[in-house]
């Protein structure tokens, strides 16, 4: 059989894609004694870890001296995907593969950082979530592996370029329109070169290949990937998969207009009790509004000149932080009340340790760097200072209301 190329005009089949993956691992993997897989529990990384293990066990690629699977547990995954990820780690451990759950540091966890420190919900111009929830912890774990092995290793990620992968040389950095996993591209581009080299062995796979592998091949080989199939809705035609396949990140992700992944999960009868999670995105949108945030005016640079950032919105006010905490705890109490009645898994957006830490930070009057909490509320008019003069308020009485 002739060697296949990424740039062949023919449409790749799943078998062709698996063969290309084996060629990639044989070409690059032999240069490293130790391999590591960055695993997030989504469809691409689930396919990556199961394909790599299958190719090793079937003798199609060389067995590395060690294989470690690092699960980036953000504490914000969709419940069925998190449950499936735990089952996958258990299966891998049974096969003698080392696994490690990587959690963000307590103060970097989503709601601790938001309500404890006061940082506003992330948005596409201030995407603090991925570095803090996934990247920082994973880089630390990778450095630990580098120290343990005493040499660089090969890190495998689930990055794909999507439907046109055979002709597309771009590697998406975070979210892809055909269903990428939030953060996978960050692993590809931010892993320190003195720690590991990165390879995306499924770069060329189409979304239908991912669906077929997870739906049929992986379960037949003993990998628990059926819950991933259900969460993504792969039981449709290939054309429909390309249209409806969604990217996954945090549940109720504030970076997308609609959380299609959550919608798919809630359409499954066994997960319908999670419907209060639909209130997350409206809450984030409300918290980003000026009346829930502080604003800095007349800020100056070190040389005394006015900062271009004057008038910018900043952290959440204390009342907004208390409101946000109460709202999240209310959502999870509602979910777990139904879970208890239906004998379904409980789900904690904020666990006891995180709630305690949030309250400690609020009590200590904690604010983001260079903010004190004494700044004006975002919706309060303030006289503007410009180089050479001041623009007074037209209606000063409104600033006092």
């Amino acid at each position: 059989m002739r060697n296949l190329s990424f740039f062949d005009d023919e449409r790749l089949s799943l078998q062709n894609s698996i063969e290309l993956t084996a060629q990639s691992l044989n070409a690059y993997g032999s240069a490293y004694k130790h391999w590591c897989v960055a695993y997030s529990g989504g469809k691409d990384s689930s396919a990556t870890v199961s394909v790599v293990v299958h190719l090793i066990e079937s003798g199609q690629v060389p067995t590395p001296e060690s294989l470690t699977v690092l699960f980036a547990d953000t504490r914000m995954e969709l419940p069925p995907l998190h449950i499936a990820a735990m089952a996958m780690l258990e299966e891998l451990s049974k096969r003698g593969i080392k696994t490690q759950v990587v959690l963000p540091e307590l103060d970097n966890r989503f709601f601790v950082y938001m309500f404890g420190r006061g940082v506003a919900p992330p948005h596409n111009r201030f995407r603090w979530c991925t570095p803090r929830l996934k990247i920082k912890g994973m880089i630390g774990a990778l450095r630990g592996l580098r120290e343990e092995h005493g040499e660089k290793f090969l890190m495998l990620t689930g990055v794909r370029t999507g439907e046109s992968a055979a002709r597309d040389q771009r590697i998406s950095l975070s979210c892809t329109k055909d269903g990428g996993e939030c953060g996978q591209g960050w692993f590809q581009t931010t892993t320190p070169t003195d720690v590991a080299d990165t390879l995306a062995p499924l770069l060329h796979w189409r979304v239908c290949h991912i669906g077929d592998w997870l739906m049929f091949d992986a379960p037949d080989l003993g990998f628990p990937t059926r819950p991933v199939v259900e969460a993504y809705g792969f039981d449709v035609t290939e054309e429909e998969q390309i249209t409806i396949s969604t990217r996954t990140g945090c549940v109720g992700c504030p970076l997308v207009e609609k959380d299609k992944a959550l919608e798919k999960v809630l359409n499954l009868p066994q997960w319908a009790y999670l419907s209060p999670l639909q209130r997350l995105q409206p809450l984030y949108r409300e918290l980003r509004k000026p009346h829930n945030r502080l604003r800095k005016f007349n800020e100056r640079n070190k040389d005394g000149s006015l900062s271009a950032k004057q008038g910018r919105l900043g952290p959440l006010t204390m009342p907004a932080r208390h409101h946000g905490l109460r709202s999240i705890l209310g959502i999870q109490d509602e979910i777990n009340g139904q879970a208890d009645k239906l004998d379904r898994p409980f789900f904690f957006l904020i666990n006891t340790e995180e709630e305690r830490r949030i309250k400690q930070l609020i009590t200590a009057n904690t604010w983001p760097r260079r903010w004190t909490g004494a700044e004006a509320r975002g919706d309060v008019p303030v006289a503007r200072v410009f180089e050479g003069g001041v623009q007074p308020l037209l209606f000063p009485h409104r600033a006092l209301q």
Side-chain angles (χ1 to χ4, degrees):
M1 177 179 175
R2 68 181 181 84
N3 288 336
L4 294 170
S5 164
F6 288 146
F7 303 100
D8 281 347
D9 288 334
E10 66 186 62
R11 193 170 175 82
L12 294 175
S13 67
L14 172 58
Q15 186 56 43
N16 293 150
S17 289
I18 294 172
E19 291 172 5
L20 280 173
T21 295
Q23 289 180 24
S24 176
L25 291 170
N26 280 314
Y28 297 101
S30 58
Y32 303 86
K33 294 179 182 178
H34 307 281
W35 296 3
C36 171
V37 182
Y39 176 50
S40 70
K43 71 181 193 308
D44 295 334
S45 63
S46 295
T48 299
V49 71
S50 53
V51 167
V52 169
V53 171
H54 164 63
L55 291 174
I56 291 172
E57 291 181 342
S58 61
Q60 297 180 63
V61 301
T63 303
E65 191 171 306
S66 73
L67 174 63
T68 304
V69 176
L70 295 179
F71 173 54
D73 187 354
T74 66
R75 295 261 304 109
M76 294 294 293
E77 289 85 8
L78 287 164
L81 293 184
H82 188 270
I83 292 171
M86 293 298 101
M88 176 68 81
L89 295 182
E90 183 178 355
E91 175 62 28
L92 295 172
S93 296
K94 290 178 181 177
R95 298 177 185 229
I97 296 168
K98 180 183 176 183
T99 65
Q100 180 180 342
V101 176
V102 181
L103 283 163
E105 292 182 1
L106 181 59
D107 282 7
N108 281 333
R109 295 184 193 175
F110 191 79
F111 293 113
V112 177
Y113 194 65
M114 188 187 303
F115 300 142
R117 185 159 294 276
V119 180
H123 53 81
N124 284 307
R125 287 178 296 173
F126 182 39
R127 188 178 295 194
W128 56 259
C129 47
T130 304
R132 291 190 175 275
L133 296 183
K134 283 191 175 182
I135 306 307
K136 286 192 173 185
M138 286 291 279
I139 295 301
L142 292 171
R143 288 195 181 280
L145 284 179
R146 171 68 173 83
E147 185 175 342
E148 177 185 338
H149 298 322
E151 59 186 273
K152 286 176 68 171
F153 56 90
L154 181 65
M155 188 178 75
L156 308 176
T157 77
V159 170
R160 293 187 307 109
T161 50
E163 174 62 11
S164 59
R167 301 169 185 82
D168 190 349
Q169 298 181 66
R170 293 178 296 106
I171 295 178
S172 58
L173 292 181
S174 184
C175 304
T176 58
K177 66 181 180 181
D178 80 321
E181 295 166 28
C182 185
Q184 283 294 309
W186 288 73
F187 297 140
Q188 196 78 13
T189 58
T190 61
T191 301
T193 55
D194 63 323
V195 170
D197 293 323
T198 58
L199 178 68
L202 271 62
L203 184 72
H204 54 285
W205 283 43
R206 302 204 311 274
V207 66
C208 58
H209 295 164
I210 298 290
D212 286 348
W213 174 265
L214 295 176
M215 194 183 314
F216 303 112
D217 300 74
D220 288 346
L221 294 167
F223 297 103
T225 56
R226 285 267 162 77
V228 181
V229 171
E230 291 180 354
Y232 280 92
F234 275 119
D235 52 343
V236 293
T237 67
E238 178 179 340
E239 289 73 18
E240 289 174 315
Q241 285 176 13
I242 295 170
T243 301
I244 71 170
S245 181
T246 56
R247 51 81 79 196
T248 55
C250 295
V251 61
C253 176
L255 301 177
V256 295
E257 194 169 324
K258 289 184 66 177
D259 190 348
K260 295 181 180 178
L262 177 59
E263 288 180 359
K264 284 196 180 76
V265 168
L266 296 181
N267 283 332
L268 301 171
Q270 66 270 34
W271 296 109
Y273 73 98
L274 297 172
S275 60
L277 293 174
Q278 292 176 308
R279 301 206 297 270
L280 289 174
Q281 284 191 318
L283 174 63
Y284 300 148
R285 286 193 288 269
E286 178 65 22
L287 290 173
R288 279 200 289 257
K289 292 180 178 178
H291 68 275
N292 283 318
R293 299 171 67 180
L294 301 180
R295 189 192 293 273
K296 270 191 179 182
F297 286 101
N298 312 324
E299 189 176 1
R300 293 188 177 273
N301 300 314
K302 290 182 179 180
D303 62 3
S305 61
L306 282 171
S307 170
K309 295 181 179 179
Q310 64 166 318
R312 63 186 169 123
L313 284 170
L316 301 173
T317 65
M318 280 297 181
R321 289 155 73 171
H322 284 290
H323 167 66
L325 177 59
R326 287 194 303 270
S327 298
I328 297 299
L329 293 177
I331 288 171
Q332 82 178 22
D333 285 346
E334 190 174 335
I335 288 171
N336 291 333
Q338 286 298 308
D340 189 42
K341 293 178 182 178
L342 300 171
D343 195 26
R344 296 292 296 152
F346 281 36
F347 180 55
F348 293 93
L349 290 159
I350 298 176
N351 62 27
T352 303
E353 179 187 29
E354 292 160 353
E355 182 181 356
R356 184 185 307 117
R357 182 57 177 159
I358 290 170
K359 291 178 178 177
Q360 287 175 347
L361 291 169
I362 289 177
T363 301
N365 196 36
T366 307
W367 296 93
R369 195 159 50 99
R370 293 194 292 272
W371 294 81
T372 66
E375 294 82 4
R377 208 173 72 178
D379 60 339
V380 174
V382 175
R384 300 290 297 275
V385 176
F386 297 92
E387 297 294 355
V390 176
Q391 177 179 306
L393 295 175
L394 293 177
F395 305 99
H397 64 282
R398 291 187 181 177
L400 302 177
Q401 292 178 352

